Amino acid sequence: MADNTTADKKKLFIKTYGCQMNVYDSERMAEAMGGAGYETTDTPDDADMILLNTCHIREKAAEKVYSELGRFKGLKADNPDLKIGVAGCVAQAEGKEIMRRQPLVDLVVGPQAYHRLPEMEAKTQQGVKALDTDFPEEDKFEKLKGRSKAKRAPTAFLTVQEGCDKFCAFCVVPYTRGAEVSRPVDRVLTEARDLVERGVREITLLGQNVNAYHGAHNGGDMTLAGLIWELNKVDGLERIRFTTSHPNDMMDDLIEAHGSCDKLMPYLHLPVQSGSNKILKRMNRNHDRESYIKLIERIRAARPDILLSGDFIVGFPEETEQDFQDTMDLIEEVKYGQAFSFKYSTRPGTPAAERPLVYDAEASERLYRLQALIAQQQRAIQDSMVGRNVNVLFEKPGRLEGQMVGKSEYLHAVHVADANAKIGEIKRVRIVESERNSLGGVLVSD
Ligand code: SAM
Ligand code: SF4
């Protein structure tokens, strides 16, 4: 049978919350629904199906979903055939409760079951509500259709590992995403080659604990470093990144790869959460500040120019001013080029949920101080790029005529006037100015 024409196609609007893994999942869900006669749209107003791909990591993220769902009431009243679905980690954590709280929801699908989305949508067309929050035995990536063959942007995410066995005391991920699972090496390589054929030059390997990757390969297991070396051989792929890593899984071969693998970019996101050993212990992080700092020294010895990024939680239960000061001291010592910081948010069902909270105003004030320190470090590192030559992968035209915008190997946004470059090209650029959130550069020939 011939493909549906665009006019025949139904419209799917997906809104994505949270991490890059959700961005990747949304793409895969859109592709799966492509096989069921849907194409994506940028607005919920003309959609036949709305899918919220949700995040449950903090309370606010989950509450946003309910308020967003409330806003679709009018659309559903105007178009009773409109199907509304909730996917992602809120779907996994709250399941049926979502349909109870918001009866206009037709479909709830957890992150491990979204390959079943087309069947579930067919069910809703018969007026039956569909719920699937299983952790099925089958590999969802295998069950999904192959990736669409359309030309792509030069950068892409590729999920290689899911789930987490670490059980940090504050975190819902082990409950919503399940146990650690790695995709086999050959499947990752096939998907990577496919992306490269479609114009991708930079791949970011994703996993909740991506450096715990141990994908099946030739009857054994391969580490993340092994996978990176395999990807390094893929012609046309120019850059490799990975996120998010846990300090305890930063193995020697991965540290060495940072020093010797030319396509692996000098950027590492390595969350520590706190600089206080007392708090790290209560968080069940299984590392202390000294081992983290030692690790950073080893990574910097392998790749001196590496740009470090981190995650921090302030106001974890029983965090004192001294504990917080330990975190500030650690930041002073490490020096981050970027960081994500959050006020502790109680997540029901996690071990920390029962513990006494830090006074909210106190936690907010600590977050403010921490973010000010990070902003200062980020600025200093960005400013230090002026006068240096970097390689820029161009991603899109800039706001000015002839200007192109891309990213350096350190993930800084760089704009270049008269870049004379195509999207997906990499050119050598001298940084001449540091602005609020980006760098300005000129082409050089070396
Ligand atoms: N696996 C990564 C690691 O261990 O560092 C982090 C993944 S988690 C999805 C992303 C970040 O969300 C965490 O690093 C942490 O800083 C933050 N986070 C997780 N649970 C939180 C909570 N209950 N309250 C505030 N922030 C939280
Ligand atoms: Fe959550 Fe990361 Fe800890 Fe796993 S290692 S429980 S994903 S914070």
Side-chain angles (χ1 to χ4, degrees):
M1 205 172 69
D3 268 0
N4 291 347
T5 63
T6 296
D8 295 333
K9 286 197 169 166
K10 291 189 179 179
K11 295 207 162 17
L12 170 67
F13 173 73
I14 305 188
K15 181 159 180 173
T16 308
Y17 300 81
C19 64
Q20 293 115 323
M21 296 194 66
N22 270 10
V23 175
Y24 177 83
D25 287 350
S26 290
E27 264 184 34
R28 303 297 312 248
M29 286 193 277
E31 287 171 0
M33 291 308 289
Y38 279 84
E39 65 182 7
T40 52
T41 170
D42 294 339
T43 160
D45 301 338
D46 65 351
D48 299 288
M49 180 173 181
I50 295 175
L51 202 53
L52 299 185
N53 192 11
T54 62
C55 172
H56 200 244
I57 200 83
R58 283 168 291 278
E59 191 183 2
K60 268 199 192 133
E63 278 311 311
K64 262 196 222 157
V65 174
Y66 285 105
S67 60
E68 185 80 39
L69 285 171
R71 282 203 279 275
F72 297 142
K73 258 193 193 135
L75 288 176
K76 186 97 169 179
D78 291 347
N79 173 14
D81 291 335
L82 169 67
K83 303 298 174 207
I84 298 183
V86 179
C89 293
V90 176
Q92 187 65 43
E94 307 210 351
K96 254 197 194 121
E97 173 65 11
I98 299 175
M99 288 179 178
R100 198 193 60 73
R101 258 182 86 173
Q102 190 43 275
L104 54 77
V105 172
D106 301 286
L107 177 160
V108 173
V109 60
Q112 301 311 331
Y114 66 68
H115 54 296
R116 296 177 177 164
L117 196 54
E119 295 158 38
M120 295 173 73
E121 185 269 353
K123 220 166 142 186
T124 66
Q125 293 299 342
Q126 288 153 15
V128 181
K129 296 214 179 214
L131 171 93
D132 194 336
T133 51
D134 285 355
F135 285 94
E137 280 296 309
E138 74 249 22
D139 177 354
K140 74 175 170 202
F141 296 107
E142 272 305 276
K143 295 277 166 188
L144 286 165
K145 275 165 52 76
R147 312 262 357 218
S148 125
K149 294 292 170 209
K151 177 112 178 110
R152 295 190 51 122
T155 63
F157 295 131
L158 202 176
T159 293
V160 300
Q161 180 274 336
E162 281 197 284
C164 181
D165 299 337
K166 300 273 190 296
F167 291 93
C168 297
F170 49 82
C171 186
V172 288
V173 169
Y175 311 96
T176 56
R177 291 271 175 168
E180 263 173 36
V181 184
S182 297
R183 295 178 66 191
V185 171
D186 56 349
R187 295 198 192 139
V188 174
L189 291 176
T190 303
E191 194 170 328
R193 287 192 196 103
D194 205 43
L195 289 169
V196 170
E197 266 175 39
R198 293 157 54 207
V200 170
R201 295 288 165 263
E202 171 181 307
I203 290 180
T204 302
L205 305 173
L206 298 180
Q208 263 93 23
N209 257 311
V210 71
N211 57 344
Y213 177 86
H214 52 274
H217 182 63
N218 288 345
D221 267 10
M222 187 175 256
T223 61
L224 183 66
L227 177 66
I228 288 169
W229 281 109
E230 287 301 311
L231 286 164
N232 202 50
K233 295 182 208 155
V234 174
D235 279 343
L237 178 63
E238 306 293 345
R239 292 177 160 191
I240 305 164
R241 304 181 186 275
F242 60 91
T243 196
T244 295
S245 299
H246 191 286
N248 291 0
D249 293 315
M250 215 52 218
M251 299 305 168
D252 292 352
D253 59 349
L254 191 53
I255 297 176
E256 277 160 25
H258 268 293
S260 50
C261 180
D262 56 344
K263 292 185 185 175
L264 182 58
M265 292 294 101
Y267 182 101
L268 179 65
H269 182 62
L270 195 62
V272 63
Q273 316 296 354
S274 170
S276 152
N277 281 340
K278 177 191 98 185
I279 295 295
L280 285 170
K281 204 168 176 74
R282 291 187 187 176
M283 284 178 164
N284 193 33
R285 288 289 292 181
N286 284 312
H287 60 78
D288 58 22
R289 70 176 278 143
E290 292 76 19
S291 62
Y292 180 82
I293 289 171
K294 232 191 172 67
L295 181 59
I296 298 289
E297 283 167 6
R298 289 178 54 220
I299 295 163
R300 282 198 167 127
R303 182 76 205 225
D305 62 339
I306 200 159
L307 190 141
L308 289 169
S309 149
D311 286 354
F312 298 91
I313 295 179
V314 301
F316 187 76
E318 300 168 273
E319 181 190 73
T320 61
E321 175 59 28
Q322 183 54 54
D323 294 319
F324 173 68
Q325 207 46 60
D326 290 348
T327 303
M328 295 290 271
D329 292 348
L330 178 133
I331 296 171
E332 291 277 14
E333 192 165 342
V334 173
K335 302 210 177 352
Y336 290 90
Q338 210 205 351
F340 302 92
S341 48
F342 315 96
K343 199 158 71 168
Y344 170 71
S345 169
T346 303
R347 305 316 289 128
T350 59
E354 307 302 322
R355 301 183 196 161
L357 288 173
V358 169
Y359 187 47
D360 188 57
E362 185 87 44
S364 298
E365 196 261 343
R366 286 178 193 165
L367 184 63
Y368 179 82
R369 281 154 63 199
L370 185 143
Q371 288 182 340
L373 176 59
I374 294 283
Q376 201 185 315
Q377 296 192 341
Q378 196 169 340
R379 171 95 261 148
I381 290 178
Q382 195 187 297
D383 290 351
S384 74
M385 302 306 296
V386 175
R388 285 180 60 181
N389 289 353
V390 296
N391 296 315
V392 176
L393 169 59
F394 289 103
E395 294 177 15
K396 57 182 181 194
R399 274 180 289 127
L400 307 176
E401 182 72 33
Q403 191 188 53
M404 293 287 287
V405 183
K407 298 263 168 51
S408 75
E409 39 294 58
Y410 308 100
L411 217 51
H412 285 125
V414 181
H415 57 83
V416 180
D418 302 320
N420 194 21
K422 293 195 196 78
I423 288 174
E425 254 185 290
I426 296 178
K427 288 198 172 186
R428 197 82 178 139
V429 169
R430 180 181 297 278
I431 301 300
V432 293
E433 56 183 339
S434 172
E435 296 172 0
R436 225 167 93 85
N437 293 314
S438 63
L439 295 165
V442 293
L443 292 182
V444 285
S445 48
D446 77 313

